[in-house]
Amino acid sequence: MVREGSPAKRASIVRAALKVFLAEGYARAGVDAIAAEAGVSKRTIYDYYGDKERLFLAAIAETRAGHEKGFEALLQETIDDVTDLEDALFRFGRVFATEVAKSAERTEILRLMIAEAAHFPRLLADRPTRTALADRLEALHRRGLLDVPDPVEAAEFLGVLVTGPVQNRTWYGAVPVDQDEIDHLVRSGVRIFLAAYGR
């Protein structure tokens, strides 16, 4: 039976767990190392999370939740009140692709999720950011600005078009790329998207 415990202590454990899981991978990461990193006892970790698997899933879920809040804020700032569609999509893609290219933590978490997906398939099944983007594209469709009969599919393509070339050029964040190049790649991706889905 796990207990809720102190929110501050839970946050400390999750931060420590994520650091150890990113450094060691799931299989090699030890609860002893996580406890030492968090400054708590091993018993506290088991009391709060039950076992290493639950702790791993909680660390990924809570970190992704923070990214999802940031993504929702980005959508609100760029796509909610559109007057110039191409510019709005470019501003969205520019920030999103830059974060993908330059956020070491985001890149490391993606690699960890891919590495562990065979053991934890639900890590890649839930895509709330895609759903949030699809909702915005559907709203633009209703306004007559886009023609997206399948908003989820369109969201998938937009995400790939604005981030895929940047990921390929940077080898998923391993190779630096300047902002001008990111902007060029994003603008090209937006134009391809509008050629397919624009009115």
Side-chain angles (χ1 to χ4, degrees):
M1 182 75 176
V2 297
R3 61 189 176 92
E4 187 64 27
S6 158
K9 191 169 287 187
R10 290 182 74 87
S12 175
I13 292 170
V14 162
R15 283 194 303 271
L18 185 66
K19 181 176 179 179
V20 174
F21 284 129
L22 289 175
E24 302 293 337
Y26 176 77
R28 292 189 303 275
V31 176
D32 286 321
I34 295 169
E37 181 69 32
V40 300
S41 70
K42 190 174 176 180
R43 171 50 54 195
T44 297
I45 290 181
Y46 285 122
D47 284 347
Y48 279 38
Y49 291 97
D51 55 35
K52 187 171 83 166
E53 178 177 331
R54 289 182 187 175
L55 176 57
F56 173 72
L57 292 173
I60 296 294
E62 292 185 27
T63 304
R64 289 180 73 189
H67 292 167
E68 288 155 16
K69 287 181 181 177
F71 188 79
E72 182 66 34
L74 172 61
L75 292 176
Q76 290 175 0
E77 291 168 7
T78 57
I79 304 183
D80 270 4
D81 186 20
V82 172
T83 52
D84 182 329
L85 180 59
E86 182 173 342
D87 181 65
L89 293 176
F90 170 72
R91 288 187 294 111
F92 158 75
R94 184 180 197 267
V95 176
F96 190 32
T98 300
E99 288 180 355
V100 166
K102 298 185 178 181
S103 170
E105 181 188 76
R106 188 184 290 267
T107 299
E108 289 171 0
I109 290 171
L110 177 60
R111 288 176 178 154
L112 178 62
M113 289 170 59
I114 292 170
E116 302 299 339
H119 302 104
F120 303 99
R122 60 180 159 156
L123 286 177
L124 302 182
D126 188 23
R127 303 281 298 279
T129 53
R130 182 181 61 183
T131 301
L133 179 55
D135 290 343
R136 284 349 189 265
L137 297 181
E138 185 174 22
L140 294 172
H141 173 88
R142 289 195 301 269
R143 288 180 57 191
L145 297 175
L146 288 175
D147 181 15
V148 286
D150 185 339
V152 172
E153 180 182 74
E156 189 82 40
F157 283 132
L158 179 58
V160 169
L161 286 168
V162 298
T163 64
V166 175
Q167 289 176 325
N168 290 339
R169 195 68 57 90
T170 64
W171 286 90
Y172 287 81
V175 178
V177 61
D178 64 39
Q179 190 64 53
D180 287 344
E181 186 171 5
I182 292 174
D183 289 355
H184 171 73
L185 294 170
V186 170
R187 197 172 293 282
S188 297
V190 167
R191 287 174 177 162
I192 293 169
F193 178 82
L194 288 175
Y197 290 105
R199 292 283 186 179

